[in-house]
Amino acid sequence: MSARRSRSRQAGAGRITDEQIDDLMSKLQAILPEARLGRNDRVSAAKVLQEACSYIRSLHREMDDLSERLSELLSTTEMSSAQAAVVRSLLM
Amino acid sequence: MVALRFLRALSLVRCSGPGARSPSYRARGIRRAAYACMAASAGPRRAWSRALLRKIRRRPGRGLRRPRAVIRRRRPVGGGDPLEVALRRLVPGGGCMEYCRLLEEAADYVKCLAMQVRLMQTIVDSASHVNSID
């Protein structure tokens, strides 16, 4: 609690209320997958931050992994036909 | 549309012939293209997309390296809560913004990252499928 109040004091332009921070926290919580936070409405701010960091790290790892797989596929696939198939499936 | 932008970038990756590079070099190029397309599609209104594009365009070995003290215009916010510090490190451009802005940017960044990952997974799945039916 005290950490949050000290953040309000440190705020640059104008006073930022706890309500505003709560609102932004719940928006961030809504973005995170349900499996990570459960269906509880009351999740602590610390938990939201922790899960957000963990989720971002896992997304970065997935990006690395998918880039590797795409690189392998590009060397083995006739990319133009794969591209055409993907574009068709994405646009429909 | 981020999908078409990314597909166009992928088609420019040279796989064979005189310009071709090692698979790991290609993978790094694809990853860079993925982040660049993601940031370009988000547009300049987001601090994370601007920071990401600046970082990508400032590739090592290109031109002179200016000392960091000259580049940095704003002081990074002092750490207190280690979770906040961790989030600032993970969100591009997150070092200097105030806390409320950080939460907003983090939410948008997560949304766009998840979308990019889903797009790449779709491409991988479709390309694998095309491979298997040939």
Side-chain angles (χ1 to χ4, degrees):
Chain A
M1 227 1 140
S2 58
R4 206 193 286 170
R5 272 195 219 110
S6 68
R7 264 198 287 275
S8 308
R9 280 200 295 273
Q10 280 170 20
R15 249 189 91 250
I16 294 175
T17 61
D18 283 350
E19 286 76 33
Q20 274 175 289
I21 293 186
D22 278 342
D23 183 50
L24 289 167
M25 273 292 175
S26 59
K27 285 196 179 118
L28 183 55
Q29 185 183 336
I31 303 284
L32 302 177
E34 260 179 35
R36 287 178 170 258
L37 287 168
R39 301 236 56 176
N40 303 332
D41 285 331
R42 304 307 286 162
V43 178
S44 72
K47 184 79 178 157
V48 173
L49 285 180
Q50 192 180 17
E51 288 307 323
C53 289
S54 151
Y55 188 45
I56 291 176
R57 282 189 203 107
S58 80
L59 286 171
H60 285 169
R61 278 196 299 272
E62 278 192 68
M63 290 272 273
D64 292 346
D65 178 53
L66 287 166
S67 302
E68 296 273 352
R69 288 169 70 186
L70 272 174
S71 165
E72 285 163 30
L73 279 167
L74 278 181
S75 59
T76 56
T77 310
E78 175 67 44
M79 194 56 193
S80 56
S81 64
Q83 252 182 306
V86 170
V87 172
R88 254 181 267 124
S89 66
L90 285 171
L91 293 177
M92 278 177 195
Chain B
M1 191 177 156
V2 65
L4 292 176
R5 199 191 287 261
F6 184 58
L7 284 171
R8 206 179 304 136
L10 276 183
S11 67
L12 294 172
V13 175
R14 280 186 232 107
C15 307
S16 57
R21 305 284 196 129
S22 69
S24 56
Y25 183 90
R26 258 205 320 272
R28 284 199 300 276
I30 289 172
R31 190 182 61 199
R32 196 166 39 238
Y35 281 109
C37 292
M38 191 177 102
S41 298
R45 59 186 176 85
R46 282 290 173 197
W48 70 259
S49 59
R50 292 195 301 269
L52 204 46
L53 285 171
R54 269 199 306 271
K55 187 175 158 190
I56 290 168
R57 284 165 185 169
R58 202 194 307 144
R59 282 167 66 184
R62 283 223 176 146
L64 292 169
R65 274 235 185 128
R66 278 183 242 126
R68 288 183 71 83
V70 175
I71 298 172
R72 196 174 290 271
R73 289 186 205 101
R74 277 181 289 173
R75 290 172 141 250
V77 176
D81 178 13
L83 285 173
E84 182 186 327
V85 168
L87 189 62
R88 284 184 185 280
R89 283 210 190 102
L90 287 167
V91 175
C96 303
M97 53 182 72
E98 60 175 14
Y99 189 60
C100 268
R101 192 70 195 278
L102 174 69
L103 295 178
E104 261 185 306
E105 292 283 323
D108 195 64
Y109 181 58
V110 164
K111 219 167 36 182
C112 293
L113 254 184
M115 216 160 47
Q116 180 69 31
V117 162
R118 272 200 301 275
L119 166 65
M120 287 166 80
Q121 187 67 62
T122 304
I123 295 174
V124 164
D125 291 344
S126 303
S128 308
H129 178 68
V130 166
N131 257 349
S132 63
I133 62 174
D134 275 343

